[in-house]
Amino acid sequence: MFKHIFTSRSLLSAALAATFGLAGASAQAANKTLTVYTYESFTSEWGPGPKVKEAFEKTCGCSVNFVSVADGVALLSRLKLEGTGTKADVVLGLDTNLTTEAKATGLFDASGVDVGGLKVPGDYRDDVFVPYDYGHFAVIYDTQTIKNPPQSMKDLVEGDPSQKIVIEDPRTSTPGLGLLLWVKSVYGDKAPEAWAKLKKRVLTVTPGWSEAYGLFTKGEAPMVLSYTTSPAYHMVAENTDRYQAAAFSEGHYIQIEVAGLLKNAPDKELARDFLKFMVTPGFQDTIPTNNWMMPVSATSQPLPDAFGELVNPSTTFLMSSDEVAENRKAWIDEWLAAMSMN
């Protein structure tokens, strides 16, 4: 009898211990937090962030914490400032123009992600940074205001000063840096002169893409520096073709966005799981109609018909990350000097 009572109590204790143990393990898993540094438009309510967070949290037993700054170049600046003390596990939103400079910080580790099957223009491959989308930069214009949009970079630079454009700052924004490199690709050593002319058409320079596009859609300026894919948003979400991309005869500069793993990530396994998730349909499905860019791998849904109506550049510009790293400061100084001229 006493043996029976003892055995029952032992079994009960074991069962309770197992139950509380499982609960504790579950709570511990749920308490894991993945901190992802990214840019503001990614984490906005209409951006990919909320859907990405929901999809990954269903599989990771963790909480995803997005920390956003104005734009992609600001991400690199923040990492340099924080150094090894950064709280980021993953940085999402740099682009290939910045990867050499980002690697030089010594803060990033190998991703562990097989990117061999991804469809990226120029067959971009890297063992540290994982590409997740791409798009060509373009001047987006309001067809209700501009009847004869610029058909080349020369047209933009030398066009009617009364027709203004909003651009982004190359010191903080990847689109701003993209425009800087686009002008440099077309004009070369004559870029400072081109900027001095274009300055007359610039309404304002914003820290990031969100502010610039917001001013444009509010009617503050009839043109904005954005992407060839931007009109798809208006066609799909707003059922209007009012806003269009100007096709430039010289060609367009491309952006390939990437994500990377921090060496000091508290949970590298979790961070690598997120990077691997980024090239699956669970993440890639959010790109076309939330980030309004082109996905790099298979999605579970076909692209909306609107994507077939977008400008298809005849020529693509893309500088090597090494060339950008070597010259970025000097070219930004050129830009600053030109933009500050009376």
Side-chain angles (χ1 to χ4, degrees), residues 119-143:
K119 296 180 180 178
V120 186
D123 292 325
Y124 172 79
R125 298 288 182 271
D126 194 277
D127 62 352
V128 174
F129 292 102
V130 179
Y132 64 89
D133 69 16
Y134 65 91
H136 288 85
F137 294 114
V139 171
I140 305 300
Y141 67 97
D142 184 347
T143 61

Side-chain angles (χ1 to χ4, degrees), residues 5-292:
I5 293 173
F6 177 78
T7 304
S8 298
R9 287 175 178 171
S10 298
L11 290 172
L12 178 60
S13 298
L16 289 171
T19 300
F20 285 119
L22 288 172
S26 177
Q28 186 177 10
N31 286 335
K32 289 195 300 183
T33 298
L34 179 75
T35 299
V36 180
Y37 281 13
T38 187
Y39 46 81
E40 287 177 351
S41 62
F42 192 92
T43 60
S44 67
E45 61 179 319
W46 46 264
K51 292 183 178 179
V52 167
K53 174 180 170 70
E54 180 182 4
F56 188 65
E57 286 181 348
K58 285 179 180 177
T59 65
C60 71
C62 71
S63 175
V64 177
N65 175 38
F66 285 117
V67 177
S68 60
V69 297
D71 215 323
V73 183
L75 283 173
L76 182 56
S77 299
R78 176 163 179 166
L79 283 175
K80 286 181 175 180
L81 183 65
E82 294 180 349
T84 55
T86 182
K87 302 300 183 184
D89 296 293
V90 170
V91 171
L92 185 165
L94 303 178
D95 65 17
T96 56
N97 296 315
L98 298 170
T99 52
T100 293
E101 204 170 330
K103 286 179 184 178
T105 66
L107 297 174
F108 289 91
D109 207 347
S111 70
V113 179
D114 180 7
V115 298
L118 303 184
K119 296 180 180 178
V120 186
D123 292 325
Y124 172 79
R125 298 288 182 271
D126 194 277
D127 62 352
V128 174
F129 292 102
V130 179
Y132 64 89
D133 69 16
Y134 65 91
H136 288 85
F137 294 114
V139 171
I140 305 300
Y141 67 97
D142 184 347
T143 61
Q144 293 185 3
T145 305
I146 294 183
K147 304 304 179 185
N148 297 300
Q151 298 182 25
S152 65
M153 183 64 76
K154 185 175 185 294
D155 282 354
L156 177 69
V157 167
E158 300 179 4
D160 183 354
S162 69
Q163 293 182 330
K164 300 296 185 182
I165 184 171
V166 180
I167 65 172
E168 299 88 350
D169 194 324
R171 295 168 296 178
T172 53
S173 163
T174 51
L177 178 60
L179 179 59
L180 183 82
L181 301 178
W182 191 2
V183 171
K184 180 61 71 171
S185 297
V186 172
Y187 283 93
D189 292 341
K190 300 294 184 182
E193 291 92 326
W195 279 114
K197 293 178 181 178
L198 181 57
K199 178 193 173 186
K200 300 172 185 176
R201 303 193 76 174
V202 175
L203 176 69
T204 190
V205 179
T206 63
W209 176 89
S210 295
E211 300 95 327
Y213 211 80
L215 289 172
F216 169 69
T217 55
K218 289 175 183 175
E220 296 295 326
M223 295 184 290
V224 65
L225 189 280
S226 191
Y227 299 87
T228 57
T229 47
S230 297
Y233 163 75
H234 301 286
M235 288 187 273
V236 173
E238 299 177 341
N239 196 31
T240 179
D241 58 2
R242 174 177 173 177
Y243 305 108
Q244 294 295 319
F248 279 13
S249 58
E250 304 99 338
H252 293 244
Y253 200 95
I254 196 171
Q255 178 180 51
I256 302 169
E257 294 193 293
V258 300
L261 164 70
L262 276 299
K263 278 184 179 178
N264 289 343
D267 191 334
K268 282 191 177 181
E269 183 178 354
L270 179 62
R272 285 197 170 99
D273 284 346
F274 182 78
L275 291 176
K276 292 173 184 175
F277 166 74
M278 288 182 65
V279 297
T280 68
F283 183 100
Q284 292 290 301
D285 280 349
T286 71
I287 293 301
T289 56
N290 289 276
N291 221 32
W292 301 97

Side-chain angles (χ1 to χ4, degrees), residues 285-307:
D285 280 349
T286 71
I287 293 301
T289 56
N290 289 276
N291 221 32
W292 301 97
M293 296 280 274
M294 299 300 294
V296 298
S297 65
T299 57
S300 61
Q301 301 292 329
L303 292 176
D305 292 342
F307 279 77

